[in-house]
Amino acid sequence: MASTSIESFYSEDIDSTKDLPQKQKQVLKACLELFASKGFEATTTADIAKKAGVSQGTVYKRFNTKEQLLQAVVQPLFSKTIPRAAKEFSYDINHFQYDNLAEFLKPTLRNRLTFATENKQIIKILFMQAISDPQLLAELVKSVKSVLTNTIPKVIDKLKEEHLLVDWDTARIMEYVLSIGAGYGAQIVLFDRKLDLDTVIDQAVEFLVKGLSPEK
Amino acid sequence: MASTSIESFYSEDIDSTKDLPQKQKQVLKACLELFASKGFEATTTADIAKKAGVSQGTVYKRFNTKEQLLQAVVQPLFSKTIPRAAKEFSYDINHFQYDNLAEFLKPTLRNRLTFATENKQIIKILFMQAISDPQLLAELVKSVKSVLTNTIPKVIDKLKEEHLLVDWDTARIMEYVLSIGAGYGAQIVLFDRKLDLDTVIDQAVEFLVKGLSPEK
DNA sequence: CATAAGTGAGTTAGTACTCACTCACAAGGG
DNA sequence: CCCTTGTGAGTGAGTACTAACTCACTTATG
């Protein structure tokens, strides 16, 4: 449950790639920061060159179009950074101790909403970009797929077996929990609302437990 | 529960405004269509002129910048069209017959998800524009405020009085129902998913009723 | 010294915006 | 009933600017 800054993870991932000159790495990092704060369209190649401390020609040395540059920025993000964050989340989940639904949901929700708060900008821009670019969306989904198809379902199935959870489709249960979580996530990320996480989570979990407990 | 196309409502609203020459009206209508299909930034003034069947000069005769043009397009949308759609929704809600929570939620959810399906594009563009433009967001909220502060709370309070609904804060209950609804709305509007509304609504209502029924 | 990395002053394309002009029509004076 | 004048709508070629992209050249490096 350590705090996870996508940006610094990304920086590490870029630094660890071989076959890329220092200045090109600076370009990629500058892009991530600029895209996150201003969005892709609103960022000019001149902005990028300035922020990276290189000339415009350098920006175009490796990456021939702005579009290719976006691909180059996003590729390690999806292939390394996000999977790493997802893995960390999976690890956290697998190490929570819980004997009932509430004890599982509370730290999980807190974990994700904290993550959302700490990475607002990047999540927002990634989300908006993905909405208008189906290919990007597909890659984004792919990069968190394992969490959605393994980690979470495993917990749900376990809770179902122990009769701590209603016996509905796993996907269906996940949908409801995700909707409630995404509702708060959207308030934080998209609308910049400051939430009192403690209250909000306690109440949301109370509702979810009520709605998802098996009939006695 | 009649189908409500924002675009045709808007067209009527524009036609009924005085003090605006025919060609200027065409410009506004063309803008709504183009903004909805391509987005604001991606739409050029040349596109607008062509679609409206006027010259570029005409586009700028009344509206001095593209930004002002957006304002001019959006203003009647917020002051007339959306309030009209909201009123129709309020009317529908007040005329549903229901003796329990499920009977209220089902037609309401169906009504909104149908509306979302029929107005995908406009909702998507309005949503994305509102996310990156706080002033627009404020106006959007204002235009549906009455529904959020009167129509829905009235129903919730009534259900609470009749002990058909758990005795939580009205705002809190609304949040959960909206989250679940918005979850499906997002799938339809943002990710173009085709949902089997019947199944999805029946199941969601089953969950909501379970989670929101008062303790016996 | 050959190859890769880097430079920055261009070029080019596209887009928001302007302006000198035409046209249709209405009001008013002879 | 014409003619003049005024006005607001409309035009489209043109301008100013911006932003992506190029290239002849310089500098560093194995």
Side-chain angles (χ1 to χ4, degrees):
Chain A
M1 190 133 54
S3 92
T4 308
S5 155
I6 293 183
E7 208 169 284
S8 57
F9 266 29
Y10 184 75
S11 187
E12 289 172 26
D13 289 334
I14 290 296
D15 284 335
S16 73
T17 52
K18 299 294 167 204
D19 290 338
L20 201 63
Q22 182 53 31
K23 297 217 172 181
Q24 301 295 336
K25 293 181 181 175
Q26 287 168 33
V27 167
L28 292 183
K29 292 183 201 171
C31 280
L32 188 72
E33 284 181 52
L34 287 169
F35 292 169
S37 63
K38 311 172 61 173
F40 176 68
E41 276 88 21
T43 302
T44 68
T45 50
D47 288 339
I48 296 167
K50 193 176 169 198
K51 177 132 207 166
V54 303
S55 75
Q56 283 212 53
T58 304
V59 174
Y60 278 92
K61 201 76 201 181
R62 253 322 208 270
F63 315 111
N64 303 312
T65 67
K66 208 183 160 192
E67 205 49 52
Q68 277 181 41
L69 189 53
L70 176 63
Q71 298 304 322
V73 171
V74 145
Q75 194 263 323
L77 193 66
F78 288 162
S79 69
K80 296 186 179 177
T81 313
I82 294 182
R84 192 143 72 106
K87 209 168 216 166
E88 204 167 276
F89 173 57
S90 291
Y91 178 88
D92 287 348
I93 276 199
N94 290 324
H95 286 74
F96 291 153
Q97 299 297 322
Y98 53 89
D99 292 319
N100 57 54
L101 187 53
E103 281 177 17
F104 166 72
L105 284 176
K106 276 188 195 179
T108 305
L109 271 176
R110 166 167 289 282
N111 176 299
R112 285 303 83 187
L113 292 180
T114 306
F115 179 82
T117 307
E118 283 169 352
N119 294 285
K120 263 188 209 185
Q121 283 191 317
I122 287 187
I123 294 174
K124 182 171 176 176
I125 193 68
L126 225 50
F127 174 78
M128 294 193 60
Q129 210 66 37
I131 283 176
S132 40
D133 181 348
Q135 203 200 322
L136 209 81
L137 178 64
E139 290 187 73
L140 184 58
V141 169
K142 205 168 66 186
S143 74
V144 294
K145 192 164 193 175
S146 148
V147 172
L148 295 177
T149 56
N150 297 324
T151 312
I152 296 180
K154 215 167 71 185
V155 175
I156 293 181
D157 288 339
K158 183 184 159 226
L159 286 165
K160 281 202 284 195
E161 268 171 37
E162 292 169 357
H163 301 289
L164 296 169
L165 193 53
V166 66
D167 191 30
W168 292 339
D169 248 22
T170 302
R172 182 183 167 195
I173 294 173
M174 217 160 83
E175 222 164 52
Y176 300 146
V177 177
L178 283 181
S179 277
I180 297 295
Y184 291 116
Q187 289 186 46
I188 293 170
V189 170
L190 303 180
F191 305 114
D192 257 316
R193 267 195 69 183
K194 312 264 173 269
L195 298 177
D196 174 6
L197 283 194
D198 289 314
T199 327
V200 147
I201 290 176
D202 282 352
Q203 292 188 345
V205 168
E206 179 187 15
F207 163 65
L208 286 171
V209 167
K210 193 155 146 40
L212 295 175
S213 286
E215 316 292 339
K216 275 151 250 174
Chain B
M1 190 132 54
S3 93
T4 308
S5 156
I6 293 184
E7 207 170 284
S8 58
F9 266 28
Y10 184 75
S11 187
E12 289 171 27
D13 288 334
I14 290 296
D15 284 335
S16 73
T17 51
K18 298 295 166 204
D19 290 336
L20 201 63
Q22 182 52 31
K23 297 218 171 183
Q24 301 294 337
K25 294 181 182 176
Q26 286 169 33
V27 168
L28 293 183
K29 291 183 201 173
C31 281
L32 188 73
E33 285 182 52
L34 287 169
F35 292 169
S37 63
K38 313 172 59 173
F40 175 68
E41 277 88 20
T43 302
T44 69
T45 49
D47 288 340
I48 296 167
K50 193 175 171 200
K51 177 133 206 165
V54 304
S55 76
Q56 283 212 54
T58 304
V59 174
Y60 279 93
K61 202 78 201 181
R62 229 18 189 243
F63 315 111
N64 303 313
T65 68
K66 208 182 159 193
E67 206 49 54
Q68 276 181 41
L69 189 53
L70 176 63
Q71 297 304 323
V73 171
V74 145
Q75 193 263 324
L77 193 66
F78 287 162
S79 69
K80 295 187 180 175
T81 312
I82 294 182
R84 192 143 71 105
K87 209 168 216 165
E88 203 167 276
F89 173 56
S90 292
Y91 178 88
D92 287 348
I93 277 199
N94 290 325
H95 286 73
F96 291 153
Q97 300 297 322
Y98 53 89
D99 294 318
N100 58 53
L101 187 54
E103 281 177 16
F104 166 73
L105 284 176
K106 275 187 196 179
T108 304
L109 272 177
R110 167 168 288 282
N111 176 301
R112 285 304 81 186
L113 292 180
T114 305
F115 179 82
T117 307
E118 283 170 352
N119 295 284
K120 263 188 210 185
Q121 283 192 316
I122 288 186
I123 294 174
K124 183 170 176 176
I125 192 68
L126 225 50
F127 172 79
M128 294 194 62
Q129 211 65 39
I131 283 176
S132 41
D133 180 350
Q135 203 198 325
L136 209 81
L137 178 64
E139 290 187 73
L140 185 57
V141 170
K142 206 169 67 187
S143 73
V144 294
K145 191 164 193 174
S146 150
V147 172
L148 294 177
T149 57
N150 297 326
T151 312
I152 296 181
K154 216 166 71 186
V155 176
I156 293 181
D157 289 339
K158 185 184 159 228
L159 286 165
K160 281 202 285 196
E161 269 171 38
E162 291 170 359
H163 301 289
L164 296 169
L165 193 53
V166 67
D167 191 32
W168 291 341
D169 249 22
T170 301
R172 183 183 166 195
I173 294 172
M174 216 159 83
E175 223 164 50
Y176 300 146
V177 177
L178 283 181
S179 278
I180 296 295
Y184 291 115
Q187 290 186 46
I188 293 170
V189 170
L190 303 179
F191 304 114
D192 258 317
R193 267 196 68 184
K194 313 264 173 270
L195 298 176
D196 173 6
L197 284 193
D198 288 313
T199 325
V200 148
I201 290 175
D202 282 352
Q203 293 188 344
V205 168
E206 179 186 15
F207 164 65
L208 285 170
V209 166
K210 194 154 144 42
L212 295 174
S213 286
E215 316 291 338
K216 275 151 247 172

